[in-house]
Amino acid sequence: MLYPNIIYIDTLIIINLYVNFFLIKACGAFLHRKISTARCVLGAAAGGASSLVILLPSLPLTLSSTIKLALGAVLVLIVFGRERFVKNALVFFVINVIFAGVMLILSLFLSPLSMIYNNGTVYFDISFLALLSFTAAAYLVIRVLRYFLDVKFNADRIYSLTFQYEDVSRKLQAFADSGNTLTDFFTGKPVIICDKSTCASLFPEFDINNLELVKGLRLLPYSTINGSGIIPVFKPDLITIDGKQIDALIGISKENINKNGVNAIFSPKLLF
């Protein structure tokens, strides 16, 4: 079936803004990363603007692919920054592929779409209701995949966690718990919850029952279904989980975690 070679620029940009906003949110959900609305909007705007390459004369496949990868990399930098760039970029591109696959399958089964493909960019004439349904289906696929990955790494396995702070080294037994979503809102780094008896001794002036500012520590507000409060956190010089170096903060629990030899709890996302 042939489709008319007509592109409405406003439709092109609006659809790409929406799709890129969805892809950024899906990427954040997959990575367990909280992304500010401002960064999402900026990233979506960059993605929407990049869709205009479809209006250029047809470029060689190598050149058009390079341009798309470069534009995608810029979007990832805008949204996530330079930290863990390669990992974030790979996840973003994989989610793009998943989304494109879901869109194609649903369009074949439900209704044909009028599509124009040029320079690595797709333009399709689609109703907002259909687009909303397709993106919801793609998001569900991504969330299900993320759920099964979390379950896989949330088995009753004990991990060896080691951290070094100044001249002191601590070796802990840690458990991966997807319920630990505590993240530092200043740096975006995940927080590993550690037993107070293991960590508090690193700061002789610190009193877990009288939270006051101590050199090397800062207080991080948190909120859970059981209530809210503040937890002291610090940045070790080095953290490894089963020998893999990770980038995170450590929070000192007010209660002793020590259960079945476990004295630290971390988010499974640190394993990816």
Side-chain angles (χ1 to χ4, degrees), residues 48-269:
S50 69
S51 66
L52 294 175
V53 298
I54 197 174
L55 302 177
L56 298 175
S58 294
L59 301 171
L61 178 61
T62 303
L63 180 57
S64 63
S65 299
T66 301
I67 291 174
K68 290 296 292 182
L69 288 173
L71 292 173
V74 170
L75 188 152
V76 171
L77 282 172
I78 291 173
V79 175
F80 296 104
R82 292 180 295 177
E83 184 181 356
R84 299 184 180 183
F85 169 74
V86 174
K87 173 185 171 182
N88 295 336
L90 284 174
V91 170
F92 179 74
F93 289 129
V94 168
I95 285 177
N96 269 268
V97 172
I98 293 174
F99 173 76
V102 172
M103 288 285 289
L104 178 60
I105 291 171
L106 291 177
S107 67
L108 291 174
F109 279 97
L110 297 181
S111 61
L113 299 176
S114 298
M115 292 187 179
I116 298 173
Y117 181 85
N118 187 37
N119 295 331
T121 300
V122 177
Y123 170 86
F124 43 87
D125 185 12
I126 183 174
S127 69
F128 179 74
L129 181 60
L131 181 61
L132 186 63
S133 301
F134 289 1
T135 50
Y139 188 78
L140 179 61
V141 170
I142 293 166
R143 292 294 297 188
V144 168
L145 178 60
R146 174 75 272 176
Y147 171 78
F148 282 110
L149 286 173
D150 282 348
V151 169
K152 176 183 177 182
F153 286 94
N154 199 24
D156 295 332
R157 176 186 170 187
I158 305 300
Y159 295 82
S160 175
L161 187 151
T162 303
F163 74 84
Q164 182 173 340
Y165 181 75
E166 296 183 344
D167 297 327
V168 180
S169 180
R170 291 280 192 274
K171 188 171 183 179
L172 308 152
Q173 298 299 305
F175 179 73
D177 183 2
S178 58
N180 177 16
T181 59
L182 184 59
T183 303
D184 178 30
F185 54 80
F186 286 116
T187 63
K189 300 181 189 299
V191 178
I192 301 170
I193 308 299
C194 291
D195 196 290
K196 67 176 183 179
S197 61
T198 304
C199 300
S201 59
L202 297 173
F203 308 93
E205 300 176 4
F206 176 66
D207 181 0
I208 194 69
N209 296 313
N210 183 22
L211 297 180
E212 294 183 356
L213 193 61
V214 175
K215 183 179 179 181
L217 287 173
R218 58 186 175 84
L219 301 179
L220 176 67
Y222 69 88
S223 178
T224 67
I225 57 174
N226 297 320
S228 58
I230 54 177
I231 183 172
V233 299
F234 65 97
K235 180 71 172 76
D237 301 316
L238 176 69
I239 309 177
T240 62
I241 297 179
D242 281 1
K244 177 184 177 182
Q245 186 172 337
I246 62 170
D247 188 17
L249 301 178
I250 287 184
I252 304 175
S253 172
K254 190 172 183 179
E255 306 296 333
N256 282 320
I257 298 176
N258 204 334
K259 294 180 181 179
N260 300 324
V262 173
N263 41 26
I265 301 173
F266 66 92
S267 171
K269 71 178 181 179

